[in-house]
Amino acid sequence: MKRNSITILLVAVLVLISCNNTNTSKNASVTTKAEKELIFDRGNKIDSPNFTGDAWLNNLITPEDENRNAVGSVTFSPGSRTSWHSHPAGQIILALNGIGYYQEKGKPVEIIRKGEVVKCPHNIPHWHGASPDSEFIQVAITGRENGPTVWMEPVTDEEYDGYNKD
Amino acid sequence: MKRNSITILLVAVLVLISCNNTNTSKNASVTTKAEKELIFDRGNKIDSPNFTGDAWLNNLITPEDENRNAVGSVTFSPGSRTSWHSHPAGQIILALNGIGYYQEKGKPVEIIRKGEVVKCPHNIPHWHGASPDSEFIQVAITGRENGPTVWMEPVTDEEYDGYNKD
């Protein structure tokens, strides 16, 4: 009987192992699916002194005489952000994925999450980017009718870390 | 021995059943995760003579004196669509999910897929909606600086089916 008990135990363990393998492959396929949930390609890596860290831009709509809005998808790697800047005709930010930071001059840093929307007023210095531990993907709608973006100084680590200190 | 073999078989079957239950619950949770991949809530069902079929609107940005853009997420059920209409300051459509239709007056119906972008010129009559077999989710960016949308006649089934006849 003892040997039979051991056999029963062995069979049970073997079947369980096979189940766990199945689950692992299921989880793997889920990860792949989640990756495919990205809507826009991340575009080209931004090579600009107005960004700190790695970010990518996919220009979706280029403004022209009739349509004055620029629309672009920006992907911020964790910790990356814009410099301080302002938009003469404001900007609308649609958070598509991840967790981002947004701050207007003189106000605390705000967290922006997937599905949230931010409206930057005209000519208000602000910055936005990813949180330290998560990529952030946004669509930015920027009115160009009053002229181009006005770029200012980079966001220091102290300013960026301000959120955690609040 | 025969009875022991039956016991072994029973244990194996019982463990397998428990595994299948685990997988089912995993799949259920996966479905929930997939549903959560939607970025914006679908908002409120549209009750308007300017739409055919069921559609939902989530107003993301309301235009005001400073920001003249309206931004909204629209979810079209399969087969549903807007009436013919035009925008005095044009419109930008960002396809977030599903498969949609877009047609400008006098041109063939175009298919819009997730990740694609459409720019509707000023004052050009057009319509958009879902394809017959797939829901379509779009973000519409509509300039209000030249006045409200001009609504026209509904899109007939013959016009809607035009794509398949081309």
Side-chain angles (χ1 to χ4, degrees):
Chain A
M1 264 312 281
K2 194 175 178 194
R3 196 176 51 197
N4 293 338
S5 306
I6 294 173
T7 322
I8 293 174
L9 185 64
L10 274 176
V11 172
V13 167
L14 285 173
V15 177
L16 270 172
I17 288 170
S18 72
C19 289
N20 288 335
N21 290 341
T22 316
N23 292 347
T24 310
S25 66
K26 276 185 188 295
N27 292 338
S29 69
V30 169
T31 310
T32 313
K33 186 177 182 305
E35 286 164 358
K36 287 182 181 165
E37 292 296 334
L38 288 182
I39 293 169
F40 304 108
D41 296 336
R42 69 179 186 173
N44 301 317
K45 193 168 179 180
I46 297 172
D47 178 16
S48 163
N50 300 320
F51 283 73
T52 300
D54 292 341
W56 291 261
L57 169 65
N58 179 357
N59 268 319
L60 300 175
I61 292 286
T62 304
E64 25 76 10
D65 292 348
E66 186 175 87
N67 163 56
R68 313 302 296 278
N69 284 318
V71 182
S73 176
V74 184
T75 301
F76 292 95
S77 62
S80 69
R81 65 265 191 180
T82 68
S83 294
W84 287 97
H85 63 286
S86 65
H87 305 286
Q91 184 178 62
I92 294 162
I93 295 172
L94 311 179
L96 294 195
N97 213 346
I99 302 173
Y101 281 0
Y102 170 79
Q103 181 179 29
E104 293 178 7
K105 205 79 173 180
K107 297 184 179 178
V109 177
E110 296 172 29
I111 285 193
I112 322 173
R113 290 183 173 84
K114 173 181 178 178
E116 294 181 338
V117 174
V118 175
K119 189 160 68 172
C120 318
H122 292 199
N123 300 310
I124 297 294
H126 66 278
W127 64 270
H128 34 110
S131 54
D133 304 321
S134 167
E135 182 179 75
F136 178 60
I137 304 177
Q138 64 169 45
V139 161
I141 304 161
T142 313
R144 291 275 192 253
E145 56 269 37
N146 300 345
T149 299
V150 178
W151 288 101
M152 305 162 192
E153 66 280 7
V155 173
T156 65
D157 290 343
E158 291 66 27
E159 290 172 316
Y160 180 79
D161 292 338
Y163 177 80
N164 305 318
K165 291 183 188 149
D166 285 341
Chain B
M1 265 311 281
K2 194 176 181 195
R3 195 176 50 198
N4 294 337
S5 307
I6 294 173
T7 319
I8 294 174
L9 187 65
L10 274 176
V11 171
V13 167
L14 285 173
V15 177
L16 270 172
I17 288 170
S18 73
C19 288
N20 287 336
N21 291 340
T22 316
N23 292 346
T24 310
S25 66
K26 276 186 188 294
N27 292 338
S29 70
V30 168
T31 310
T32 313
K33 188 176 180 305
E35 286 164 0
K36 284 183 182 165
E37 291 297 335
L38 289 180
I39 294 170
F40 304 107
D41 295 336
R42 68 179 187 174
N44 301 318
K45 193 167 181 181
I46 298 173
D47 178 16
S48 162
N50 300 319
F51 283 73
T52 300
D54 292 341
W56 291 262
L57 170 63
N58 179 355
N59 268 318
L60 300 174
I61 293 286
T62 304
E64 25 76 10
D65 292 348
E66 188 176 86
N67 163 57
R68 314 301 297 276
N69 285 317
V71 181
S73 175
V74 184
T75 301
F76 292 95
S77 62
S80 69
R81 65 264 191 181
T82 68
S83 294
W84 286 97
H85 63 285
S86 66
H87 305 286
Q91 185 178 61
I92 294 163
I93 295 172
L94 312 178
L96 295 194
N97 213 347
I99 303 173
Y101 280 0
Y102 170 79
Q103 181 178 29
E104 294 178 6
K105 205 81 175 175
K107 297 184 179 178
V109 176
E110 295 173 29
I111 285 193
I112 322 173
R113 290 184 174 83
K114 174 181 176 178
E116 293 181 337
V117 175
V118 175
K119 189 160 68 169
C120 318
H122 292 200
N123 300 310
I124 297 294
H126 66 279
W127 64 270
H128 34 110
S131 54
D133 304 321
S134 168
E135 181 179 76
F136 179 60
I137 303 177
Q138 63 168 44
V139 161
I141 305 161
T142 312
R144 290 276 192 252
E145 56 269 38
N146 300 345
T149 301
V150 178
W151 288 102
M152 305 162 192
E153 67 280 7
V155 173
T156 65
D157 291 343
E158 291 66 28
E159 289 172 317
Y160 180 79
D161 293 338
Y163 177 80
N164 306 317
K165 292 183 188 149
D166 284 342

